Amino acid sequence: MMEVAGSWSEVFEGSETKEESSETLLGSSTLTLAPLVSDSPSIRRSQPILITSNRAKGVESFSSSVPSIPNPFPELSKSPVLISSFPPQSSDKHAIKVYGEDSHSRSVWVSPGATAREACHMLVQTAHCSDQENWALLEVHPTLGLERCLEDHEVVLEVQATWSLKGDTRFMFCKNYAKYEFFRKPMLFFPESMISDSADVNKGMTSSELIKNLLKSGTCPEIQGFLHVKEPSRKAWKKVYFFLRRSGLYSSSKGSSKEPRHLQYVADLGDLNVYTVVNSRKLYGAPTDFTFCIKPSKNPIRVQDLKILCAENEQTRTCWTSAFRLFKYGKQLQRNYEMSKAAPQKVEGSKLADGKSKSEASLVAMDFSGKAGGRVIQNPMEAQSAEREEGLAWRRREALRCSLPNLNSAVSPSSIHKTQLWFHGGVSRKEAQRLIEKQGLVDGMFLIRDSQQHAQCFVLSLCYQLKTKHYLVIPFENGGRKYYTMDDGDTLFIDLLQLVEFHQINKGILPVCLKHPCVCVAL
């Protein structure tokens, strides 16, 4: 055995350091002997290592040397509206929930000053809508059956702040073609019979010229007429003569008299909002379906605060509601209308000058009709013509296949219409009218649906002069092939898509061409 002079230490692997005498050595253990240094620090295992500041600086220099990743969505960093499932870093953003017409919702992060126009612009981008025009936010109260289209300049959070926390009020994102239609067709919205006699009609100016001049100046002629009003705390309705002026809404206590002693002040126009009422017969026992109501704009909606009014027809109701908006907002509506007519802004980075996306621009048109193989079509007009011809040829082949005698039971009629936005399947007649009314009673608004009374038939629902008309589309056989017709076979169409495209250019038996498809957007 070899002797070691001086004191020594024994270190076992996997254990803490121990000082022991030479008599306690274990023969089966692996040991290391080393002379002790009196001023050396004691050894400790499994302790955290302190990282020096020099290393931290090295990490910073390394991260700064990495090139920054560009923001793929620069328009979102500048927009007052953000759409995400997580809140933004800035604390001034607030979340609102917006519903689509399919009852699905999306959370939207908006700044305190975000307007309805800005919120709609962002929703158009995220929902991948084909166009950016005629979109609107609706304030909907399902329990009370109230709906109102927000004006483009209204601040979204200020509107939401007036809602009751216990209510079911919501925002809805949808099309609205009739928001500024009274600027385009004033005589349809303001008939002469409803213009007050106190208006300056006899100053060498016709009523149509008067209305146009007033609308251009951002105001509205005084409106008068009978309305049914629901008496408070009662189910009865009373017919009362009303006057709508710049100073407010008045009712006459004696017939249609407008003498000051017979006029009663009803409401201040600057402190109220006007809503259309859905399903008013069932909810409020209204005498007609053309119901609207007014309520104070700063207070949560309570049934006792609603002033429910009922008109005789849709034109009368539209006249009153349009006049309320014009008297309240004045020139602001005129500015909103001018902004809506401006060309919609393209999404930054996603659209090119010709309106095509970058992915579409990377594609080229090819012609494989020759024997030498394909060639690239350089002429843009030739490329568009080839695209149309290819689409028409495909449709002819599909229509021919579906119109041949049914030799195979597996062959079904052409279903190309099911992919179109204007086709709404098996909705009822009443629901079709409701969809068209919600998106704006403008001439040419249309949809096609399955007929509920006639098998294998369809119905074209079309809006004309504030009324919805319905036209039956029936299958028709000619020469052993199947077609569709609306005029007992005088005009035949191979499918519903051809029928729609034809009537977008020609009126045919319709009172107006098809212009605006009634669409439902899923968020």
Side-chain angles (χ1 to χ4, degrees):
M1 179 178 293
M2 184 178 179
E3 294 184 0
V4 180
S7 57
W8 49 274
S9 64
E10 179 182 6
V11 181
F12 290 89
E13 289 184 359
S15 64
E16 295 183 357
T17 303
K18 298 181 180 179
E19 273 191 13
E20 296 183 359
S21 62
S22 61
E23 292 79 12
T24 60
L25 286 173
L26 298 177
S28 62
S29 303
T30 303
L31 55 88
T32 303
L33 300 178
L36 290 175
V37 182
S38 58
D39 56 349
S40 62
S42 59
I43 300 175
R44 294 184 180 181
R45 293 178 181 269
S46 302
Q47 296 296 323
I49 300 175
L50 179 63
I51 301 176
T52 61
S53 59
N54 293 335
R55 183 171 180 177
K57 292 179 181 178
V59 173
E60 292 178 2
S61 62
F62 173 78
S63 62
S64 62
S65 63
V66 178
S68 60
I69 301 176
N71 182 9
F73 306 105
E75 71 277 1
L76 298 184
S77 60
K78 301 178 182 179
S79 173
V81 185
L82 295 176
I83 298 183
S84 172
S85 57
F86 299 98
Q89 294 181 356
S90 57
S91 59
D92 62 337
K93 301 292 182 180
H94 300 269
I96 63 172
K97 185 176 287 188
V98 182
Y99 286 80
E101 292 179 285
D102 59 348
S103 299
H104 289 83
S105 62
R106 181 185 291 268
S107 295
V108 183
W109 293 94
V110 298
S111 62
T115 63
R117 179 193 296 275
E118 293 166 342
C120 287
H121 179 67
M122 182 58 65
L123 287 167
V124 164
Q125 297 178 19
T126 56
H128 306 289
C129 302
S130 58
D131 64 280
Q132 302 187 31
E133 299 177 354
N134 303 307
W135 293 99
L137 274 183
L138 265 62
E139 178 187 354
V140 182
H141 303 262
T143 303
L144 299 176
L146 306 182
E147 292 182 357
R148 178 179 76 92
C149 179
L150 267 65
E151 304 296 346
D152 288 343
H153 66 276
E154 288 190 80
V155 179
V156 177
L157 289 180
E158 292 181 0
V159 175
Q160 191 182 46
T162 64
W163 297 353
S164 173
L165 297 178
K166 298 180 180 180
D168 57 352
T169 311
R170 62 181 62 176
F171 287 122
M172 180 177 290
F173 177 63
C174 67
K175 281 279 191 181
N176 191 320
Y177 293 96
K179 189 187 298 186
Y180 304 113
E181 191 69 10
F182 50 78
F183 285 114
R184 305 182 185 97
K185 300 179 180 180
M187 293 307 300
L188 180 62
F189 285 77
F190 301 102
E192 294 186 20
S193 59
M194 295 185 62
I195 299 176
S196 176
D197 297 337
S198 60
D200 307 1
V201 182
N202 4 347
K203 292 185 178 180
M205 186 183 300
T206 63
S207 58
S208 60
E209 293 174 344
L210 170 67
I211 294 173
K212 291 179 181 179
N213 291 338
L214 290 174
L215 292 179
K216 287 181 180 179
S217 62
T219 185
C220 175
E222 295 181 2
I223 303 300
Q224 63 181 12
F226 279 104
L227 291 172
H228 299 273
V229 58
K230 189 176 186 300
E231 298 184 3
S233 303
R234 295 181 60 185
K235 295 184 178 180
W237 289 74
K238 185 179 180 181
K239 201 170 186 178
V240 180
Y241 204 82
F242 285 91
F243 298 90
L244 184 61
R245 300 174 177 175
R246 187 186 300 273
S247 57
L249 177 65
Y250 300 86
S251 64
S252 177
S253 60
K254 186 178 180 181
S256 59
S257 174
K258 60 178 65 176
E259 295 183 15
R261 60 193 180 96
H262 294 149
L263 294 183
Q264 297 178 352
Y265 184 75
V266 178
D268 179 18
L269 302 183
D271 188 38
L272 59 83
N273 286 328
V274 57
Y275 297 80
T276 57
V277 183
V278 182
N279 201 13
S280 58
R281 289 181 183 267
K282 181 178 180 180
L283 293 176
Y284 303 101
T288 70
D289 292 322
F290 313 108
T291 311
F292 64 100
C293 82
I294 55 177
K295 84 157 196 76
S297 56
K298 301 299 177 67
N299 302 331
I301 287 189
R302 300 182 302 174
V303 178
Q304 55 267 32
D305 295 335
L306 301 180
K307 191 74 173 179
I308 304 178
L309 306 169
C310 186
E312 293 292 343
N313 51 58
E314 182 60 43
Q315 186 182 35
T316 303
R317 177 173 70 169
T318 306
C319 177
W320 282 99
T321 55
S322 302
F324 271 108
R325 293 172 56 203
L326 282 166
F327 275 128
K328 179 178 180 179
Y329 296 110
K331 292 184 178 180
Q332 182 63 54
L333 279 190
Q334 180 71 25
R335 289 193 290 268
N336 292 349
Y337 171 57
E338 295 298 332
M339 292 180 65
S340 69
K341 292 193 302 182
Q345 298 179 355
K346 299 296 181 183
V347 181
E348 297 181 12
S350 63
K351 294 288 184 179
L352 302 176
D354 59 353
K356 293 185 178 180
S357 64
K358 290 183 178 180
S359 60
E360 292 176 346
S362 62
L363 303 177
V364 294
M366 300 288 294
D367 179 16
F368 295 96
S369 59
K371 296 182 179 180
R375 69 176 182 90
V376 177
I377 302 178
Q378 302 288 349
N379 189 345
M381 298 298 295
E382 183 184 357
Q384 292 181 2
S385 177
E387 181 182 5
R388 286 193 299 268
E389 290 179 3
E390 183 178 358
L392 290 174
W394 179 87
R395 284 176 50 199
R396 291 192 192 99
R397 291 194 300 268
E398 177 69 10
L400 178 61
R401 182 187 68 84
C402 297
S403 62
L404 289 175
N406 194 4
L407 301 178
N408 184 3
S409 59
V411 177
S412 59
S414 175
S415 58
I416 188 175
H417 56 272
K418 295 182 179 180
T419 63
Q420 303 302 310
L421 297 176
W422 38 257
F423 184 71
H424 288 253
V427 300
S428 63
R429 178 189 182 101
K430 187 174 182 180
E431 181 62 21
Q433 294 181 183
R434 175 71 194 130
L435 287 172
I436 292 178
E437 177 185 330
K438 180 182 291 186
Q439 298 194 15
L441 291 173
V442 297
D443 291 351
M445 168 80 73
F446 74 97
L447 63 85
I448 294 182
R449 54 189 174 88
D450 292 320
S451 175
Q452 295 184 330
Q453 297 181 354
H454 306 278
Q456 299 183 352
C457 295
F458 301 92
V459 177
L460 170 65
S461 300
L462 173 67
C463 178
Y464 178 65
Q465 293 186 350
L466 303 178
K467 295 180 181 179
T468 303
K469 302 178 180 294
H470 306 273
Y471 299 88
L472 187 64
V473 181
I474 62 175
F476 189 88
E477 288 194 11
N478 185 16
R481 296 182 179 180
K482 296 180 181 178
Y483 298 92
Y484 292 102
T485 182
M486 290 194 300
D487 51 11
D488 296 328
D490 291 342
T491 310
L492 301 178
F493 305 96
I494 59 176
D495 52 31
L496 295 182
L497 183 58
Q498 188 186 50
L499 182 146
V500 169
E501 291 178 344
F502 173 84
H503 288 96
Q504 286 177 332
I505 304 174
N506 310 277
K507 292 194 301 183
I509 65 168
L510 304 177
V512 65
C513 291
L514 305 181
K515 296 179 181 179
H516 309 294
C518 184
V519 301
C520 290
V521 177
L523 292 180

